[in-house]
Amino acid sequence: MTITADGKNIDTLPFQNLFIQGERLSEKVIFRVPRYYNDNDLLPCTFIIKGVNEKNEVAEQVLSVSDDVSFLELEWNVASMFMSVAGKLNLEIQALISSGGQLAYVLKYILPPVYVRESLNGENTPLPDVKEQVIGEINSVVSDGLNLIENKIQSFDTTEIDNRLDNLESSVNSLESQIKIKALTLSEYNTETHSDDVLYVII
C-alpha cells in the first residue's frame, strides 16, 4: 500500500482500520513524500515513525528509504510493538538529520490517528457427550437415507406398469371366458370330435 503525502500531510484513511491487535509484520505501508521541503534535501535524513497507543505507550521504528529524483519512499513493515494494544493509535513520522552528534534538522509529518481492532477472545464451547453425539450422528444418517428412499419412490412413475397389468388381467379374464375345459379318458378323446374352443384334459 502506497500513500502519497501532500506536503507534511499524510492521509491515513486507506489503512485507518487495517490493523488487528497482536499482528507482527503482517502489513507494509509505503509513504511517498517530497524529497525537498523548504529547499532542504531530505535524502540524508533518518526517518522514524512513532506511535502512541491507548495506554500512552510509545513505539518507534526506523523506516527504510528509497529515492528517485523528486520523491522519497519510506517503507514501514509494521512491527508488533505498534499492535500490542487495541484502540486508537496516534502516529507521527519524523525526519531527523544530525551534525556533529547534534540534531540539526527535525521535520514532523501530520498523520490522523488509526485504529487497532481488538483480537477475538472467547471460551471454548462445552463438548457434547460422546454417546449422545454418536446417537445423533446415526439418527441423522438414518433420516437422510429414509428421505432419499422416499424421494426415489415419489419420483418413480408406475402408471405404465399399472396399465399393462390391467390389460393383462383383462386378457386373462377374456381368455378364461372363451375356453371350455373337458376331462375325459384317452379312449374317449380318440373317439371325440374335437373343438378348437375346448381344452381337453386326459385323465
Side-chain angles (χ1 to χ4, degrees), residues 47-193:
F47 289 86
I48 296 175
I49 187 166
K50 178 183 291 186
V52 179
N53 63 27
E54 290 274 13
K55 293 184 178 180
N56 205 38
E57 297 170 339
V58 179
E60 293 184 348
Q61 187 176 355
V62 176
L63 304 177
S64 61
V65 181
S66 59
D67 68 284
D68 60 23
V69 176
S70 56
F71 284 91
L72 301 177
E73 290 192 345
L74 317 177
E75 185 176 301
W76 181 30
N77 287 301
V78 185
S80 60
M81 66 186 79
F82 291 88
M83 304 293 104
S84 60
V85 176
K88 185 168 71 172
L89 179 66
N90 293 301
L91 294 174
E92 180 179 272
I93 294 177
Q94 298 178 359
L96 311 175
I97 193 168
S98 60
S99 176
Q102 299 293 322
L103 287 177
Y105 185 83
V106 178
L107 173 66
K108 296 184 177 181
Y109 292 88
I110 302 168
L111 289 81
V114 298
Y115 296 87
V116 178
R117 285 183 290 172
E118 186 175 4
S119 184
L120 292 179
N121 292 308
E123 297 180 359
N124 292 330
T125 57
L127 295 175
D129 181 77
V130 175
K131 180 180 177 181
E132 292 181 359
Q133 184 177 8
V134 172
I135 292 175
E137 291 175 355
I138 292 174
N139 288 336
S140 176
V141 171
V142 171
S143 177
D144 291 344
L146 292 176
N147 289 333
L148 181 60
I149 293 172
E150 180 65 24
N151 291 336
K152 290 291 185 182
I153 293 173
Q154 295 296 331
S155 64
F156 186 68
D157 187 2
T158 61
T159 303
E160 183 178 353
I161 295 176
D162 291 340
N163 291 336
R164 292 175 64 183
L165 289 175
D166 290 340
N167 292 335
L168 181 59
E169 183 180 5
S170 177
S171 299
V172 170
N173 292 335
S174 176
L175 186 59
E176 288 179 346
S177 65
Q178 295 175 12
I179 296 178
K180 297 177 182 179
I181 302 174
K182 186 175 183 179
L184 69 176
T185 64
L186 181 58
S187 59
E188 289 174 334
Y189 177 77
N190 290 332
T191 59
E192 179 88 11
T193 301

Side-chain angles (χ1 to χ4, degrees), residues 33-44:
V33 301
R35 176 170 172 171
Y36 296 92
Y37 187 79
N38 285 340
D39 297 326
N40 292 297
D41 185 359
L42 302 182
L43 181 59

